[in-house]
Coordinates of all heavy atoms in Angstrom, one line a residue:
M1 N -28.2 -49.6 -13.1 CA -27.9 -48.2 -13.6 C -27.1 -48.3 -14.8 O -26.0 -48.9 -14.8 CB -27.2 -47.4 -12.5 CG -26.9 -46.1 -13.0 SD -25.9 -44.9 -12.0 CE -26.0 -45.3 -10.4
K2 N -27.5 -47.6 -15.8 CA -26.8 -47.6 -17.1 C -25.8 -46.3 -17.1 O -26.2 -45.3 -16.9 CB -27.8 -47.5 -18.3 CG -27.0 -47.5 -19.6 CD -28.0 -47.4 -20.7 CE -27.2 -47.4 -22.1 NZ -28.1 -47.2 -23.2
V3 N -24.6 -46.6 -17.5 CA -23.6 -45.6 -17.6 C -23.5 -45.2 -19.0 O -23.4 -46.0 -19.9 CB -22.2 -46.0 -17.1 CG1 -21.2 -45.0 -17.3 CG2 -22.3 -46.4 -15.6
I4 N -23.7 -43.9 -19.3 CA -23.6 -43.4 -20.7 C -22.2 -42.9 -21.0 O -21.7 -42.0 -20.3 CB -24.6 -42.2 -20.9 CG1 -26.1 -42.8 -20.7 CG2 -24.5 -41.7 -22.3 CD1 -27.1 -41.7 -20.7
N5 N -21.6 -43.5 -22.0 CA -20.3 -43.0 -22.5 C -20.5 -41.6 -23.1 O -21.5 -41.4 -23.7 CB -19.6 -44.0 -23.4 CG -19.3 -45.3 -22.8 OD1 -19.1 -45.3 -21.6 ND2 -19.3 -46.3 -23.6
S6 N -19.5 -40.8 -23.0 CA -19.6 -39.5 -23.7 C -19.8 -39.7 -25.2 O -20.3 -38.8 -25.8 CB -18.4 -38.7 -23.4 OG -17.2 -39.3 -23.8
S7 N -19.2 -40.7 -25.8 CA -19.5 -40.9 -27.2 C -20.9 -41.2 -27.6 O -21.4 -41.0 -28.7 CB -18.5 -42.0 -27.7 OG -18.9 -43.2 -27.1
E8 N -21.6 -41.7 -26.6 CA -23.1 -42.1 -26.7 C -24.0 -40.9 -26.4 O -25.1 -40.8 -26.8 CB -23.5 -43.3 -25.9 CG -22.8 -44.6 -26.3 CD -23.2 -45.7 -25.3 OE1 -24.2 -45.5 -24.6 OE2 -22.6 -46.7 -25.3
A9 N -23.5 -40.0 -25.6 CA -24.3 -38.8 -25.2 C -24.6 -37.9 -26.3 O -23.7 -37.7 -27.2 CB -23.5 -38.1 -24.1
P10 N -25.8 -37.4 -26.4 CA -26.1 -36.5 -27.5 C -25.2 -35.2 -27.4 O -25.0 -34.7 -26.3 CB -27.6 -36.1 -27.2 CG -27.9 -36.5 -25.9 CD -26.9 -37.5 -25.4
S11 N -24.7 -34.8 -28.6 CA -23.9 -33.6 -28.6 C -24.8 -32.3 -28.5 O -26.0 -32.4 -28.9 CB -23.0 -33.5 -29.8 OG -23.9 -33.6 -31.0
I12 N -24.2 -31.3 -28.0 CA -25.0 -30.1 -27.9 C -24.3 -29.0 -28.7 O -23.0 -28.9 -28.7 CB -25.1 -29.7 -26.4 CG1 -26.0 -28.5 -26.2 CG2 -23.8 -29.4 -25.7 CD1 -26.5 -28.2 -24.8
T13 N -25.1 -28.2 -29.3 CA -24.5 -27.2 -30.2 C -24.2 -25.9 -29.4 O -24.8 -25.7 -28.3 CB -25.4 -26.8 -31.4 OG1 -26.6 -26.2 -30.9 CG2 -25.7 -28.1 -32.2
V14 N -23.4 -25.0 -29.9 CA -23.1 -23.7 -29.3 C -24.4 -23.0 -29.2 O -24.7 -22.3 -28.2 CB -22.0 -23.0 -30.1 CG1 -21.9 -21.5 -29.5 CG2 -20.7 -23.7 -30.0
A15 N -25.2 -23.0 -30.3 CA -26.5 -22.3 -30.2 C -27.4 -22.8 -29.1 O -28.1 -22.0 -28.5 CB -27.2 -22.5 -31.6
Q16 N -27.5 -24.1 -28.9 CA -28.2 -24.6 -27.8 C -27.7 -24.2 -26.4 O -28.4 -23.9 -25.5 CB -28.3 -26.1 -27.9 CG -29.1 -26.7 -29.0 CD -28.9 -28.2 -29.2 OE1 -27.8 -28.7 -29.0 NE2 -30.0 -28.9 -29.5
L17 N -26.3 -24.1 -26.3 CA -25.7 -23.7 -25.1 C -26.1 -22.2 -24.8 O -26.5 -21.8 -23.7 CB -24.2 -23.8 -25.2 CG -23.6 -25.2 -24.9 CD1 -22.1 -25.2 -25.3 CD2 -23.8 -25.6 -23.5
E18 N -26.0 -21.4 -25.9 CA -26.3 -20.0 -25.7 C -27.7 -19.8 -25.4 O -28.1 -18.9 -24.6 CB -25.9 -19.3 -27.0 CG -24.4 -19.1 -27.2 CD -24.1 -18.2 -28.4 OE1 -24.4 -18.6 -29.5 OE2 -23.5 -17.1 -28.2
A19 N -28.6 -20.5 -26.0 CA -30.0 -20.4 -25.7 C -30.4 -20.8 -24.3 O -31.3 -20.2 -23.7 CB -30.8 -21.3 -26.7
S20 N -29.6 -21.7 -23.7 CA -29.8 -22.1 -22.3 C -29.0 -21.4 -21.3 O -29.2 -21.7 -20.1 CB -29.5 -23.6 -22.2 OG -30.3 -24.4 -23.1
Y21 N -28.3 -20.4 -21.7 CA -27.4 -19.6 -20.8 C -28.2 -19.0 -19.6 O -27.8 -19.2 -18.4 CB -26.6 -18.5 -21.5 CG -25.8 -17.7 -20.6 CD1 -24.6 -18.3 -20.1 CD2 -26.1 -16.4 -20.3 CE1 -23.8 -17.5 -19.3 CE2 -25.2 -15.7 -19.5 CZ -24.1 -16.2 -19.0 OH -23.3 -15.5 -18.2
P22 N -29.4 -18.4 -19.8 CA -30.1 -17.9 -18.7 C -30.5 -19.0 -17.7 O -30.5 -18.7 -16.5 CB -31.4 -17.3 -19.3 CG -31.0 -17.0 -20.7 CD -30.0 -18.0 -21.1
A23 N -30.8 -20.1 -18.2 CA -31.2 -21.3 -17.3 C -30.0 -21.7 -16.4 O -30.1 -22.0 -15.2 CB -31.7 -22.4 -18.1
Y24 N -28.8 -21.7 -17.1 CA -27.5 -22.1 -16.3 C -27.2 -21.0 -15.3 O -26.8 -21.4 -14.1 CB -26.4 -22.3 -17.3 CG -26.6 -23.3 -18.3 CD1 -26.1 -23.0 -19.7 CD2 -27.2 -24.5 -18.1 CE1 -26.3 -24.0 -20.6 CE2 -27.4 -25.4 -19.1 CZ -27.0 -25.2 -20.4 OH -27.2 -26.1 -21.4
C25 N -27.4 -19.8 -15.6 CA -27.2 -18.7 -14.6 C -28.2 -18.8 -13.4 O -27.8 -18.6 -12.3 CB -27.4 -17.3 -15.3 SG -26.1 -17.0 -16.5
K26 N -29.4 -19.1 -13.7 CA -30.5 -19.3 -12.7 C -30.1 -20.5 -11.8 O -30.2 -20.4 -10.6 CB -31.8 -19.5 -13.3 CG -33.0 -19.6 -12.3 CD -34.3 -19.6 -12.9 CE -35.4 -19.6 -11.9 NZ -36.7 -19.6 -12.5
A27 N -29.7 -21.6 -12.4 CA -29.3 -22.8 -11.7 C -28.1 -22.5 -10.8 O -28.1 -22.9 -9.6 CB -29.0 -23.9 -12.6
L28 N -27.1 -21.7 -11.3 CA -26.0 -21.4 -10.5 C -26.4 -20.5 -9.2 O -26.0 -20.8 -8.1 CB -25.0 -20.6 -11.3 CG -23.7 -20.1 -10.6 CD1 -22.9 -21.3 -10.0 CD2 -22.9 -19.2 -11.4
R29 N -27.3 -19.6 -9.5 CA -27.8 -18.8 -8.4 C -28.5 -19.7 -7.4 O -28.3 -19.5 -6.1 CB -28.7 -17.7 -8.9 CG -29.3 -16.8 -7.8 CD -30.1 -15.6 -8.3 NE -29.1 -14.7 -8.9 CZ -28.4 -13.8 -8.2 NH1 -28.6 -13.7 -6.9 NH2 -27.6 -12.9 -8.8
M30 N -29.3 -20.6 -7.8 CA -30.0 -21.5 -6.9 C -29.1 -22.3 -6.0 O -29.3 -22.6 -4.9 CB -31.0 -22.3 -7.7 CG -32.2 -21.5 -8.2 SD -33.2 -22.5 -9.4 CE -33.9 -23.8 -8.3
L31 N -28.0 -22.8 -6.7 CA -27.0 -23.6 -6.0 C -26.3 -22.8 -4.9 O -26.1 -23.3 -3.8 CB -26.0 -24.2 -7.0 CG -26.6 -25.2 -8.0 CD1 -25.6 -25.5 -9.1 CD2 -27.0 -26.6 -7.2
V32 N -26.0 -21.6 -5.3 CA -25.4 -20.7 -4.3 C -26.3 -20.4 -3.1 O -25.9 -20.4 -2.0 CB -24.8 -19.4 -5.0 CG1 -24.4 -18.4 -3.9 CG2 -23.7 -19.7 -6.0
Q33 N -27.6 -20.1 -3.5 CA -28.6 -19.8 -2.4 C -28.8 -21.0 -1.5 O -29.1 -20.9 -0.3 CB -29.9 -19.4 -3.0 CG -29.9 -18.0 -3.6 CD -31.1 -17.7 -4.4 OE1 -31.8 -18.6 -4.9 NE2 -31.4 -16.4 -4.6
D34 N -28.6 -22.2 -2.0 CA -28.8 -23.4 -1.2 C -27.5 -23.7 -0.4 O -27.5 -24.6 0.4 CB -29.0 -24.6 -2.1 CG -30.4 -24.6 -2.7 OD1 -31.3 -23.8 -2.3 OD2 -30.7 -25.5 -3.6
G35 N -26.5 -22.9 -0.5 CA -25.3 -23.0 0.3 C -24.3 -24.1 -0.1 O -23.5 -24.4 0.7
L36 N -24.4 -24.5 -1.4 CA -23.4 -25.5 -1.9 C -22.0 -24.8 -2.0 O -21.9 -23.6 -2.3 CB -23.8 -26.0 -3.2 CG -24.6 -27.3 -3.2 CD1 -26.0 -27.0 -2.7 CD2 -24.6 -27.9 -4.5
S37 N -21.0 -25.5 -1.8 CA -19.6 -25.0 -1.9 C -19.2 -24.9 -3.4 O -19.9 -25.6 -4.2 CB -18.6 -25.9 -1.1 OG -18.5 -27.2 -1.8
L38 N -18.2 -24.1 -3.6 CA -17.7 -24.1 -5.0 C -17.3 -25.4 -5.5 O -17.6 -25.8 -6.7 CB -16.6 -23.1 -5.1 CG -15.9 -22.9 -6.4 CD1 -16.9 -22.4 -7.5 CD2 -14.8 -21.9 -6.4
N39 N -16.7 -26.2 -4.7 CA -16.3 -27.5 -5.1 C -17.4 -28.4 -5.5 O -17.3 -29.1 -6.5 CB -15.5 -28.2 -4.0 CG -14.7 -29.4 -4.4 OD1 -14.3 -29.5 -5.5 ND2 -14.6 -30.4 -3.5
N40 N -18.5 -28.3 -4.8 CA -19.7 -29.1 -5.1 C -20.4 -28.5 -6.4 O -20.9 -29.3 -7.2 CB -20.7 -29.2 -4.0 CG -20.2 -30.0 -2.9 OD1 -19.5 -31.0 -3.1 ND2 -20.7 -29.8 -1.7
I41 N -20.4 -27.3 -6.5 CA -21.0 -26.7 -7.7 C -20.2 -27.0 -8.9 O -20.8 -27.2 -10.0 CB -21.1 -25.1 -7.5 CG1 -22.2 -24.8 -6.4 CG2 -21.5 -24.5 -8.8 CD1 -22.2 -23.3 -6.0
Q42 N -18.9 -27.1 -8.8 CA -18.1 -27.5 -10.0 C -18.4 -28.9 -10.5 O -17.9 -29.2 -11.6 CB -16.6 -27.3 -9.6 CG -16.2 -25.9 -9.5 CD -14.8 -25.6 -9.0 OE1 -14.3 -26.4 -8.3 NE2 -14.2 -24.6 -9.6
R43 N -19.1 -29.7 -9.8 CA -19.4 -31.0 -10.2 C -20.8 -31.1 -10.9 O -21.2 -32.2 -11.3 CB -19.5 -32.0 -9.0 CG -18.2 -32.1 -8.3 CD -18.2 -33.0 -7.1 NE -17.1 -32.9 -6.2 CZ -17.0 -33.4 -5.1 NH1 -18.0 -34.0 -4.5 NH2 -15.9 -33.1 -4.3
T44 N -21.4 -30.0 -11.2 CA -22.7 -30.0 -11.8 C -22.7 -29.9 -13.3 O -21.7 -29.4 -13.8 CB -23.6 -28.9 -11.2 OG1 -23.0 -27.6 -11.5 CG2 -23.8 -29.0 -9.6
V45 N -23.8 -30.2 -13.9 CA -24.0 -30.0 -15.4 C -23.9 -28.5 -15.7 O -23.4 -28.1 -16.6 CB -25.3 -30.7 -15.9 CG1 -25.5 -30.2 -17.3 CG2 -25.2 -32.1 -15.8
C46 N -24.6 -27.8 -14.8 CA -24.6 -26.3 -14.9 C -23.2 -25.7 -15.1 O -23.0 -24.9 -16.0 CB -25.4 -25.7 -13.7 SG -25.1 -24.0 -13.4
W47 N -22.4 -26.2 -14.2 CA -21.0 -25.6 -14.2 C -20.3 -26.1 -15.5 O -19.6 -25.3 -16.2 CB -20.2 -26.2 -13.0 CG -18.9 -25.5 -12.9 CD1 -17.7 -26.0 -13.4 CD2 -18.5 -24.3 -12.3 NE1 -16.6 -25.2 -13.2 CE2 -17.1 -24.1 -12.5 CE3 -19.3 -23.4 -11.5 CZ2 -16.5 -23.0 -11.9 CZ3 -18.6 -22.3 -11.0 CH2 -17.3 -22.1 -11.2
D48 N -20.5 -27.3 -15.9 CA -19.9 -27.8 -17.1 C -20.3 -27.0 -18.3 O -19.4 -26.6 -19.2 CB -20.2 -29.3 -17.4 CG -19.5 -30.2 -16.4 OD1 -18.4 -29.8 -15.8 OD2 -19.9 -31.3 -16.2
R49 N -21.5 -26.6 -18.4 CA -22.1 -25.9 -19.5 C -21.5 -24.4 -19.5 O -21.2 -23.9 -20.5 CB -23.6 -25.9 -19.6 CG -24.2 -27.3 -19.7 CD -23.9 -27.9 -21.0 NE -24.1 -29.4 -21.1 CZ -25.2 -29.9 -21.3 NH1 -26.4 -29.2 -21.4 NH2 -25.3 -31.3 -21.5
L50 N -21.5 -23.8 -18.3 CA -21.0 -22.5 -18.2 C -19.5 -22.5 -18.6 O -19.0 -21.6 -19.3 CB -21.1 -21.9 -16.8 CG -22.6 -21.6 -16.4 CD1 -22.7 -21.2 -14.9 CD2 -23.1 -20.4 -17.2
Q51 N -18.7 -23.5 -18.2 CA -17.3 -23.6 -18.5 C -17.1 -23.8 -20.0 O -16.3 -23.2 -20.6 CB -16.7 -24.8 -17.8 CG -15.2 -24.9 -17.9 CD -14.4 -23.7 -17.4 OE1 -14.6 -23.3 -16.3 NE2 -13.6 -23.1 -18.2
L52 N -18.0 -24.6 -20.6 CA -18.0 -24.8 -22.1 C -18.2 -23.6 -22.8 O -17.5 -23.3 -23.8 CB -18.9 -26.0 -22.4 CG -18.9 -26.4 -23.9 CD1 -17.5 -27.0 -24.3 CD2 -19.9 -27.5 -24.1
L53 N -19.2 -22.8 -22.4 CA -19.5 -21.6 -23.1 C -18.3 -20.6 -23.0 O -17.9 -20.0 -23.9 CB -20.7 -20.9 -22.5 CG -22.1 -21.3 -23.0 CD1 -23.2 -20.8 -22.1 CD2 -22.2 -20.8 -24.4
H54 N -17.7 -20.5 -21.8 CA -16.6 -19.6 -21.6 C -15.4 -20.1 -22.4 O -14.7 -19.3 -23.1 CB -16.1 -19.6 -20.1 CG -14.9 -18.8 -19.9 ND1 -14.8 -17.5 -20.2 CD2 -13.7 -19.2 -19.5 CE1 -13.5 -17.1 -19.9 NE2 -12.8 -18.1 -19.5
T55 N -15.1 -21.4 -22.5 CA -14.0 -21.9 -23.3 C -14.2 -21.7 -24.8 O -13.3 -21.3 -25.5 CB -13.9 -23.4 -23.0 OG1 -13.7 -23.6 -21.6 CG2 -12.7 -24.0 -23.8
T56 N -15.4 -21.8 -25.2 CA -15.8 -21.7 -26.6 C -15.9 -20.2 -27.1 O -15.3 -19.9 -28.1 CB -17.2 -22.4 -26.9 OG1 -17.1 -23.7 -26.5 CG2 -17.5 -22.4 -28.4
L57 N -16.5 -19.4 -26.2 CA -16.6 -18.0 -26.6 C -16.2 -17.1 -25.4 O -17.0 -16.5 -24.7 CB -18.1 -17.7 -26.9 CG -18.7 -18.5 -28.1 CD1 -20.2 -18.4 -28.1 CD2 -18.1 -18.1 -29.4
P58 N -14.9 -17.0 -25.1 CA -14.4 -16.3 -23.9 C -14.7 -14.8 -23.9 O -14.8 -14.3 -22.8 CB -12.9 -16.6 -23.9 CG -12.6 -16.9 -25.3 CD -13.8 -17.6 -25.9
R59 N -14.9 -14.2 -25.0 CA -15.2 -12.8 -25.0 C -16.6 -12.5 -24.7 O -16.9 -11.4 -24.3 CB -14.8 -12.2 -26.4 CG -13.3 -12.2 -26.6 CD -13.0 -11.5 -27.9 NE -11.6 -11.5 -28.1 CZ -11.0 -11.0 -29.1 NH1 -11.7 -10.4 -30.1 NH2 -9.7 -11.0 -29.2
Q60 N -17.5 -13.4 -24.9 CA -18.9 -13.2 -24.6 C -19.4 -13.8 -23.3 O -20.3 -13.3 -22.7 CB -19.7 -13.9 -25.7 CG -19.6 -13.3 -27.1 CD -20.4 -14.0 -28.2 OE1 -20.3 -15.2 -28.3 NE2 -21.1 -13.2 -29.0
Y61 N -18.7 -14.8 -22.8 CA -19.1 -15.4 -21.5 C -18.0 -15.4 -20.5 O -16.9 -16.0 -20.8 CB -19.7 -16.9 -21.8 CG -20.9 -16.8 -22.7 CD1 -20.7 -17.1 -24.1 CD2 -22.1 -16.5 -22.2 CE1 -21.9 -17.0 -24.9 CE2 -23.2 -16.5 -23.0 CZ -23.1 -16.7 -24.3 OH -24.2 -16.6 -25.1
R62 N -18.2 -14.9 -19.3 CA -17.2 -14.8 -18.3 C -16.8 -16.2 -17.8 O -17.6 -17.2 -17.9 CB -17.6 -13.9 -17.2 CG -18.8 -14.4 -16.4 CD -19.1 -13.4 -15.3 NE -19.4 -12.1 -15.6 CZ -20.7 -11.6 -15.9 NH1 -21.7 -12.4 -15.7 NH2 -20.8 -10.3 -16.2
D63 N -15.7 -16.2 -17.2 CA -15.2 -17.4 -16.5 C -16.2 -17.8 -15.4 O -16.6 -16.9 -14.6 CB -13.8 -17.1 -15.8 CG -13.2 -18.3 -15.3 OD1 -13.9 -19.2 -14.8 OD2 -11.9 -18.4 -15.2
P64 N -16.6 -19.1 -15.3 CA -17.6 -19.4 -14.3 C -17.1 -19.1 -12.8 O -18.0 -18.9 -12.0 CB -17.7 -20.9 -14.4 CG -17.3 -21.2 -15.8 CD -16.3 -20.2 -16.2
V65 N -15.8 -19.1 -12.5 CA -15.3 -18.8 -11.3 C -15.7 -17.3 -10.9 O -16.1 -17.0 -9.8 CB -13.8 -19.1 -11.1 CG1 -13.3 -18.6 -9.7 CG2 -13.5 -20.6 -11.3
V66 N -15.5 -16.5 -11.9 CA -15.8 -15.1 -11.7 C -17.3 -14.9 -11.5 O -17.8 -14.1 -10.7 CB -15.3 -14.2 -12.9 CG1 -15.8 -12.8 -12.8 CG2 -13.7 -14.3 -12.9
H67 N -18.0 -15.6 -12.4 CA -19.5 -15.6 -12.3 C -20.0 -16.0 -11.0 O -20.9 -15.4 -10.3 CB -20.1 -16.5 -13.4 CG -21.5 -16.3 -13.7 ND1 -22.2 -16.6 -14.8 CD2 -22.5 -15.7 -12.9 CE1 -23.4 -16.4 -14.8 NE2 -23.7 -15.8 -13.6
Y68 N -19.4 -17.1 -10.5 CA -19.7 -17.6 -9.1 C -19.5 -16.6 -8.0 O -20.3 -16.4 -7.2 CB -18.9 -18.9 -8.8 CG -19.0 -19.3 -7.3 CD1 -20.0 -20.0 -6.8 CD2 -17.9 -18.9 -6.5 CE1 -20.1 -20.4 -5.5 CE2 -18.0 -19.3 -5.1 CZ -19.1 -20.0 -4.7 OH -19.1 -20.4 -3.3
A69 N -18.3 -15.9 -8.1 CA -18.0 -14.9 -7.1 C -18.9 -13.8 -7.1 O -19.3 -13.3 -6.0 CB -16.6 -14.4 -7.4
M70 N -19.4 -13.3 -8.3 CA -20.4 -12.3 -8.4 C -21.7 -12.7 -7.8 O -22.4 -11.9 -7.1 CB -20.5 -11.8 -9.8 CG -19.2 -11.2 -10.4 SD -19.3 -11.0 -12.2 CE -20.7 -9.8 -12.3
V71 N -22.1 -13.9 -8.2 CA -23.4 -14.4 -7.6 C -23.3 -14.5 -6.1 O -24.3 -14.2 -5.4 CB -23.8 -15.7 -8.4 CG1 -25.0 -16.4 -7.7 CG2 -24.1 -15.4 -9.8
K72 N -22.3 -15.1 -5.7 CA -22.1 -15.3 -4.2 C -22.1 -14.0 -3.5 O -22.8 -13.9 -2.4 CB -20.7 -16.1 -4.0 CG -20.4 -16.3 -2.5 CD -20.9 -17.6 -2.1 CE -20.4 -17.9 -0.7 NZ -21.4 -17.9 0.3
R73 N -21.4 -13.0 -4.0 CA -21.4 -11.7 -3.3 C -22.9 -11.1 -3.3 O -23.4 -10.6 -2.3 CB -20.5 -10.8 -4.1 CG -20.4 -9.4 -3.4 CD -19.5 -8.4 -4.2 NE -20.2 -8.2 -5.5 CZ -19.5 -8.1 -6.6 NH1 -18.2 -8.3 -6.7 NH2 -20.2 -7.8 -7.7
D74 N -23.6 -11.3 -4.4 CA -25.0 -10.8 -4.5 C -25.9 -11.5 -3.5 O -26.6 -10.9 -2.8 CB -25.5 -10.9 -6.0 CG -26.8 -10.2 -6.1 OD1 -27.0 -9.1 -5.7 OD2 -27.7 -10.9 -6.7
V75 N -25.8 -12.8 -3.5 CA -26.6 -13.6 -2.6 C -26.3 -13.3 -1.1 O -27.2 -13.1 -0.3 CB -26.4 -15.1 -2.9 CG1 -27.0 -16.0 -1.7 CG2 -27.0 -15.4 -4.2
D76 N -25.0 -13.1 -0.8 CA -24.6 -12.8 0.6 C -25.1 -11.4 0.9 O -25.6 -11.2 2.1 CB -23.1 -12.8 0.7 CG -22.5 -14.2 0.7 OD1 -23.3 -15.2 0.8 OD2 -21.3 -14.3 0.5
N77 N -25.1 -10.5 0.0 CA -25.6 -9.1 0.3 C -27.1 -9.1 0.5 O -27.6 -8.5 1.4 CB -25.2 -8.1 -0.8 CG -23.8 -7.8 -0.8 OD1 -23.1 -7.9 0.2 ND2 -23.3 -7.3 -2.0
Q78 N -27.8 -9.9 -0.3 CA -29.3 -10.0 -0.1 C -29.7 -10.6 1.2 O -30.6 -10.2 1.9 CB -29.9 -10.8 -1.3 CG -29.9 -10.1 -2.6 CD -30.5 -10.9 -3.7 OE1 -30.8 -12.0 -3.5 NE2 -30.7 -10.3 -4.9
Q79 N -28.9 -11.7 1.6 CA -29.2 -12.3 2.9 C -28.8 -11.4 4.0 O -29.5 -11.4 5.0 CB -28.3 -13.7 2.9 CG -28.9 -14.7 2.0 CD -28.1 -16.0 2.0 OE1 -27.0 -16.0 2.5 NE2 -28.6 -17.0 1.4
A80 N -27.8 -10.6 3.9 CA -27.5 -9.6 4.9 C -28.6 -8.6 5.1 O -28.9 -8.2 6.3 CB -26.1 -8.9 4.7
L81 N -29.2 -8.2 4.1 CA -30.3 -7.2 4.1 C -31.5 -7.8 4.8 O -32.2 -7.1 5.5 CB -30.6 -6.7 2.7 CG -29.5 -5.8 2.0 CD1 -29.9 -5.5 0.6 CD2 -29.3 -4.5 2.9
V82 N -31.8 -9.1 4.5 CA -33.0 -9.7 5.0 C -32.8 -10.1 6.5 O -33.7 -9.9 7.2 CB -33.3 -10.9 4.1 CG1 -34.4 -11.8 4.8 CG2 -33.7 -10.5 2.7
G83 N -31.7 -10.7 6.8 CA -31.4 -11.2 8.1 C -30.7 -10.3 8.9 O -30.5 -10.1 10.0

């Protein structure tokens, strides 16, 4: 297995992050629906990208912890209605 140093990893631009924001939101929702804990979700690329967006543009993108809480509440409410 090859380990990639961060210096070797391709850099991502803010524009690319912003363009992929809907995909990161969808991935976060899927992780919550799958029942992963916040601790496990925080280890994902999705979380890193959401955190990077919030750090870079805090007025435009909410804190991922707040985003997680909102998604978790929504998923829990949907599951309560179904089940």
Side-chain angles (χ1 to χ4, degrees):
M1 175 189 334
K2 182 180 178 186
V3 177
I4 299 176
N5 295 332
S6 59
S7 61
E8 294 177 16
S11 59
I12 188 166
T13 66
V14 173
Q16 290 170 321
L17 282 171
E18 288 186 294
S20 299
Y21 181 72
Y24 302 139
C25 293
K26 184 176 182 179
L28 179 62
R29 178 170 291 278
M30 291 171 65
L31 293 168
V32 171
Q33 287 173 335
D34 287 348
L36 269 70
S37 69
L38 177 58
N39 192 32
N40 286 336
I41 291 173
Q42 287 175 327
R43 298 179 194 167
T44 64
V45 171
C46 161
W47 187 269
D48 288 339
R49 300 292 167 82
L50 289 171
Q51 184 66 50
L52 185 57
L53 273 169
H54 172 67
T55 303
T56 306
L57 302 166
R59 291 184 179 180
Q60 292 177 312
Y61 297 98
R62 67 178 56 94
D63 185 330
V65 175
V66 173
H67 195 160
Y68 167 82
M70 294 170 64
V71 170
K72 176 90 169 112
R73 183 184 65 222
D74 186 48
V75 167
D76 289 347
N77 287 340
Q78 286 179 355
Q79 289 175 348
L81 291 174
V82 172

